[in-house]
Amino acid sequence: MVRKVPFFKSWIPEWLIKIILFLMTLPGITIFFLPLANVNAAAGYYGCEPADIQFSVALFYAGYVGFYSLERRFFSFLAAKEYFLLFMTLQITACLICYCTKEIYVLFPVRFLQGMLFACNVNLSLTLIFTRLSSERAREISFSVFFGILICALPFNNLITANLIDSYNFNIIYKGAIFLYVPGFIFLAAAMRHYRISARFPLYKLDWESFALYSAMLVLIGYIMIFGQEYYWLEDKRILGSVIAIAVLSVLSIFRQKAMKRPYIDPRVFRYRNFKVGLVILFVMYICRFASGITNNYFISALHFDPFYLSYINIFNILGLVAGVIIACCMVLQKKNIRYIWGPGFLLLLIFHAVMYFSFDVQADEFNYYIPLFIQGLGVGLIMVPTIIFIISSVPASIGPSAAATALAIRYLGFCVSIALINFFELFEKSRHYNAFQDHLSEIDPAVRNFIHSQTAKLSSKGMPEDHALKGADKLLAARMNVQSQVRFAMDYYEMMVWILFVSLLLILLFPYLNRTALYLKSRRLSPA
């Protein structure tokens, strides 16, 4: 392949450059969902609630989404080598702070900064890769590889960190992340030239105001969605104040964007029907994707799998994700109708949720879940990459970056809304089922009497005094009720997902406009959403 842009020295093989550029995105993708690798271990280490750990992930996401559109100015100001080494040094410093601190309120701003640096990493790495690819086929394969790595991040993190977290303190994973950056840092320092693709463009008239308004709204949305249920939504002054602040910031942002010659995100993208359809599909997919967290909680709380064993079970989910991305990439390259990609993808997700609905039980064998987890990964893998390409290709290339930024915001919103829905259902559905069990259980119930008697006898045979054994049996009964409530809540949530997926699949099959849609990437300088 003929080199178009000499960012790298001539002695570096072309294949090695592409591999290194892709590997440069791995450390950032790894630390993206790193706190969710073991939420309870992270909460215990920082002395906070699980919701705080979820919020730290939302802050990373908000930093990524908010800084995405502003980052391009820095790329035109700094040479690629300087830019790489600068944000990698900052990222290593941020990981070092996360490793050294135990204060959650120190972690929060650092996680937001890590999200901003991740935007720099992803945009620069993928842009350099696209400048080295001369064919549309190669660009779409590169796009698929990047998003394949991204959607595998959560189960992959669980796999590689389970043993570390079990053997060391939680912060050891940030120490590992630091060492992931070192090889790439050394390679880029030695292999890259001080070359810039255009004249040095001064950093004046940076739209920091739009960045601040946009990022503040994103952070407040994440705060409301994650903590709203815990604080009883608008009954709490913090949530009410956040809602009012979002409304005020939204009005200010809209007026500002209309008055600007070059808006932060071009509102013209919303004129295109395919663009709006793609956003809806992406939003629904993200809500359904993170419902798999309920399955993992069920494995831990009801079936009592330890995190190490759970990480191995999720290998089947990773295999499904990889297979789905590969199949979707092949279908995109063949210019298949988007309906023939979305249809099987949503059908697979529908099958997964329906099978899991009937598979939730207080006792089960783990091999019963291997195929459903593979099916879920296959469905997500089929939908993810084609939807992103569909969204970006539905608008003119000149406003493609705004389309990518909007798709990124929708993914963030889907992540936050899925957390809010799960928290809402977990509180009310578990409470409803627990109260229903209490209403039907009494001391005169033969099943309850037999359970209390058998457990009391079992505890007494182990040497426990009879009065203590009776109290222990009561606690075991309460624990069984909690497990049953957890199972019923999971079933209710997955039933809701089944209906959402059914409606989505029906609309995909009946929407006639999708028959006239082609998937292709229009720009060679495209950055990922």
Side-chain angles (χ1 to χ4, degrees):
M1 181 180 293
V2 178
R3 287 195 180 133
K4 306 286 186 183
V5 186
F7 284 109
F8 292 86
K9 296 179 181 178
S10 58
W11 58 269
I12 307 295
E14 190 69 25
W15 60 268
L16 181 60
I17 293 174
K18 295 172 185 175
I19 292 175
I20 293 297
L21 288 174
F22 266 120
L23 292 180
M24 286 301 304
T25 64
L26 284 180
I29 291 174
T30 301
I31 64 175
F32 198 146
F33 294 104
L34 208 54
L36 296 182
N38 192 323
V39 175
N40 293 328
Y45 179 78
Y46 292 108
C48 62
E49 299 178 359
D52 293 317
I53 303 303
Q54 293 176 334
F55 187 56
S56 70
V57 177
L59 284 171
F60 187 106
Y61 221 147
Y64 177 26
V65 177
F67 193 63
Y68 177 86
S69 298
L70 186 64
E71 182 274 337
R72 299 172 185 279
R73 290 291 305 277
F74 293 90
F75 178 75
S76 61
F77 176 71
L78 296 169
K81 181 177 181 178
E82 296 172 350
Y83 199 18
F84 259 126
L85 298 182
L86 174 62
F87 71 68
M88 287 180 66
T89 302
L90 292 174
Q91 194 68 276
I92 291 172
T93 304
C95 287
L96 184 61
I97 295 173
C98 293
Y99 173 71
C100 295
T101 187
K102 285 189 175 182
E103 295 295 329
I104 191 67
Y105 294 107
V106 174
L107 181 70
F108 283 164
V110 176
R111 288 287 296 174
F112 184 84
L113 176 63
Q114 285 181 323
M116 294 173 59
L117 296 172
F118 180 65
C120 302
N121 186 350
V122 169
N123 284 348
L124 181 56
S125 297
L126 269 293
T127 299
L128 291 185
I129 289 173
F130 282 165
T131 60
R132 314 191 76 81
L133 302 175
S134 59
S135 68
E136 178 187 335
R137 178 188 184 92
R139 293 197 296 275
E140 288 170 342
I141 291 174
S142 300
F143 219 64
S144 299
V145 171
F146 169 73
F147 279 106
I149 296 172
L150 185 61
I151 61 178
C152 290
L154 190 54
F156 181 74
N157 281 353
N158 293 339
L159 178 64
I160 64 175
T161 62
N163 194 31
L164 282 175
I165 296 174
D166 185 60
S167 304
Y168 303 94
N169 288 332
F170 178 80
N171 65 334
I172 191 68
I173 57 181
Y174 286 107
K175 186 176 182 179
I178 292 173
F179 288 105
L180 285 177
Y181 280 103
V182 173
F185 187 92
I186 295 173
F187 174 84
L188 294 175
M192 290 193 74
R193 301 175 184 270
H194 287 282
Y195 178 86
R196 59 177 64 252
I197 197 169
S198 58
R200 190 182 184 93
F201 193 78
L203 286 177
Y204 67 90
K205 293 185 179 180
L206 281 176
D207 196 4
W208 287 106
E209 296 84 356
S210 295
F211 164 71
L213 291 172
Y214 190 39
S215 298
M217 286 190 290
L218 293 171
V219 171
L220 289 174
I221 289 172
Y223 180 80
I224 292 171
M225 294 299 173
I226 292 172
F227 292 100
Q229 187 63 61
E230 181 179 348
Y231 297 153
Y232 296 99
W233 298 105
L234 297 180
E235 295 181 15
D236 186 86
K237 293 181 179 179
R238 291 165 291 188
I239 302 299
L240 179 60
S242 298
V243 173
I244 295 173
I246 290 175
V248 174
L249 292 173
S250 299
V251 173
L252 291 175
S253 182
I254 291 172
F255 279 108
R256 178 176 175 80
Q257 299 307 309
K258 287 185 176 181
M260 292 179 63
K261 183 178 180 181
R262 296 181 179 88
Y264 201 65
I265 296 178
D266 199 324
R268 290 181 296 168
V269 295
F270 292 99
R271 298 176 183 175
Y272 300 90
R273 184 191 305 179
N274 273 6
F275 176 78
K276 291 180 283 189
V277 171
L279 292 183
V280 173
I281 294 295
L282 188 63
F283 181 72
V284 172
M285 190 276 290
Y286 252 69
I287 290 179
C288 296
R289 175 196 172 190
F290 286 102
S292 59
I294 293 179
T295 305
N296 291 334
N297 290 334
Y298 161 74
F299 289 151
I300 293 174
S301 60
L303 302 184
H304 306 293
F305 294 167
D306 61 75
F308 188 72
Y309 190 65
L310 177 61
S311 66
Y312 280 100
I313 293 177
N314 278 322
I315 289 177
F316 291 91
N317 189 245
I318 297 175
L319 294 175
L321 289 168
V322 173
V325 169
I326 293 173
I327 295 172
C329 181
C330 294
M331 296 180 76
V332 170
L333 291 174
Q334 295 172 4
K335 297 293 187 295
K336 294 292 185 182
N337 189 302
I338 188 64
R339 175 178 292 174
Y340 299 132
I341 303 175
W342 281 346
F346 275 94
L347 180 61
L348 287 169
L349 289 179
L350 177 63
I351 292 172
F352 164 73
H353 287 85
V355 170
M356 287 302 300
Y357 177 84
F358 293 104
S359 300
F360 286 122
D361 203 343
V362 293
Q363 291 181 340
D365 294 319
E366 67 278 4
F367 58 79
N368 293 333
Y369 302 101
Y370 293 165
I371 295 178
L373 288 174
F374 179 84
I375 290 175
Q376 195 267 353
L378 187 62
V380 171
L382 276 174
I383 298 171
M384 181 71 170
V385 177
T387 306
I388 298 294
I389 297 177
F390 178 83
I391 290 172
I392 297 174
S393 63
S394 64
V395 301
S398 60
I399 56 176
S402 292
T406 307
L408 182 55
I410 289 297
R411 287 163 48 202
Y412 170 75
L413 186 62
F415 168 74
C416 294
V417 170
S418 68
I419 293 177
L421 285 174
I422 291 172
N423 290 342
F424 176 82
F425 267 77
E426 188 169 14
L427 176 65
F428 285 98
E429 292 302 305
K430 285 181 68 174
S431 299
R432 183 171 69 87
H433 289 298
Y434 189 86
N435 293 331
F437 286 134
Q438 282 187 322
D439 293 339
H440 291 84
L441 295 179
S442 64
E443 294 183 357
I444 61 174
D445 191 322
V448 175
R449 294 177 64 181
N450 290 336
F451 179 84
I452 295 293
H453 177 74
S454 62
Q455 295 300 321
T456 301
K458 186 181 298 184
L459 293 173
S460 298
S461 66
K462 301 294 183 181
M464 183 178 290
E466 186 173 353
D467 56 335
H468 290 178
L470 185 59
K471 293 179 181 179
D474 290 336
K475 291 184 178 180
L476 289 174
L477 178 62
R480 289 287 183 91
M481 291 172 59
N482 281 325
V483 172
Q484 289 284 356
S485 301
Q486 173 73 23
V487 171
R488 289 300 309 177
F489 141 70
M491 293 175 66
D492 291 342
Y493 191 86
Y494 272 57
E495 182 181 8
M496 181 185 72
M497 290 294 104
V498 166
W499 285 110
I500 291 176
L501 289 166
F502 177 77
V503 172
S504 301
L505 188 60
L506 198 62
L507 291 176
I508 289 171
L509 296 176
L510 297 179
F511 196 59
Y513 192 74
L514 296 179
N515 286 330
R516 301 186 299 276
T517 301
L519 292 181
Y520 61 97
L521 295 175
K522 301 177 181 179
S523 173
R524 296 192 65 237
R525 298 293 305 277
L526 184 66
S527 293

